[in-house]
DNA sequence: TGACTCCATCCGCTTATCCGGATATATTTT
DNA sequence: AAAATATATCCGGATAAGCGGATGGAGTCA
């Protein structure tokens, strides 16, 4: 039960929702991508990513210098359904849309400096 | 977006999840029923009910001296889907099961003293 | 090895949340 | 109107969460 509460708590923060919204759209992103899209300092982004990872929402994978985060492919069926719901919740959110546009803003393919 | 975060925040507490689990099973319950089932003081139960109401999860209806709470019948489709998911999450929770048994414990029909 | 970049974690601080006893309000009963 | 019951809200204190600069580890390239 506590775990279920923790699970929902991981969604109870605007920054984390914005990150999930971006990952629902982008497949994989590194921390510096997210910093730029969210316009938030690195420590803040990193901390929220750690929480999402801890809650089982994202996986991380190091590729050279950078660490890419992506939505976890859960074997829990209801988790996938919740992702669908979440995507619907977030689809029309102005903040999330602005984040995506900012992400697209710095050119296709030449992210991460 | 903030509202979406608030919505999930309302599920990010074990007591509120226990209340929802009881209401998923019982149709309607008054505060004193919940106090007995959860074994929590009245102010605590009442406060959490207010938050659930504020988040749109429950409706309240006064009948004489007591106020009955029940799951809100939402016109938002995804809300209903989330309830289904929630019910599945909570179905096997030992704490929730114990709550239900405690509720059934004080006799059928003669609740609320 | 040294310099550089990306990222995770530490730190002190501020703000939010939860708790439960105490108090206030509403309704019924006498 | 007074007493009794059920519920909502207030209050002070404790705990948790969020923030962002600073520090340090890990990887890359020279």
């Amino acid at each position: 039960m506590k775990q279920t509460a923790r699970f929902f708590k991981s969604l109870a923060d605007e920054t984390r929702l914005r990150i999930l919204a971006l990952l629902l759209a982008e497949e994989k992103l590194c921390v510096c991508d997210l910093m730029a899209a969210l316009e938030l300092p690195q420590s803040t982004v990193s901390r929220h990513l750690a929480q999402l990872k801890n809650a089982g929402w994202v996986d991380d994978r190091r590729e050279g210098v950078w660490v890419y985060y992506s939505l976890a492919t859960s074997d829990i069926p209801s988790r996938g359904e919740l992702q669908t719901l979440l995507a619907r919740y977030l689809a029309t959110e102005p903040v999330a849309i602005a984040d995506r546009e900012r992400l697209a803003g710095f050119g296709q393919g030449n992210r991460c400096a």
Side-chain angles (χ1 to χ4, degrees), chain A residues 48-66:
Chain A
H48 285 296
L49 283 169
Q51 290 179 252
L52 287 173
K53 179 183 171 186
N54 190 267
W57 272 104
V58 301
D59 291 331
D60 60 340
R61 187 164 44 96
R62 179 171 279 270
E63 282 184 24
V65 194
W66 325 238

Side-chain angles (χ1 to χ4, degrees), chain A residues 15-31:
Chain A
T15 301
R16 290 195 289 277
L17 288 177
R18 289 170 70 191
I19 291 174
L20 287 178
L22 286 170
L23 289 176
L24 280 164
E26 283 296 322
E27 187 196 9
K28 74 173 187 179
L29 292 169
C30 62
V31 178

Side-chain angles (χ1 to χ4, degrees), chain A residues 24-86:
Chain A
L24 280 164
E26 283 296 322
E27 187 196 9
K28 74 173 187 179
L29 292 169
C30 62
V31 178
C32 53
D33 287 335
L34 290 166
M35 285 172 59
L38 303 172
E39 293 181 318
L40 287 173
Q42 182 262 325
S43 67
T44 297
V45 174
S46 211
R47 178 166 29 82
H48 285 296
L49 283 169
Q51 290 179 252
L52 287 173
K53 179 183 171 186
N54 190 267
W57 272 104
V58 301
D59 291 331
D60 60 340
R61 187 164 44 96
R62 179 171 279 270
E63 282 184 24
V65 194
W66 325 238
V67 177
Y68 283 102
Y69 283 87
S70 53
L71 275 185
T73 56
S74 173
D75 50 349
I76 305 168
S78 47
R79 178 70 62 95
E81 300 172 47
L82 189 53
Q83 277 188 16
T84 306
L85 289 180
L86 193 59

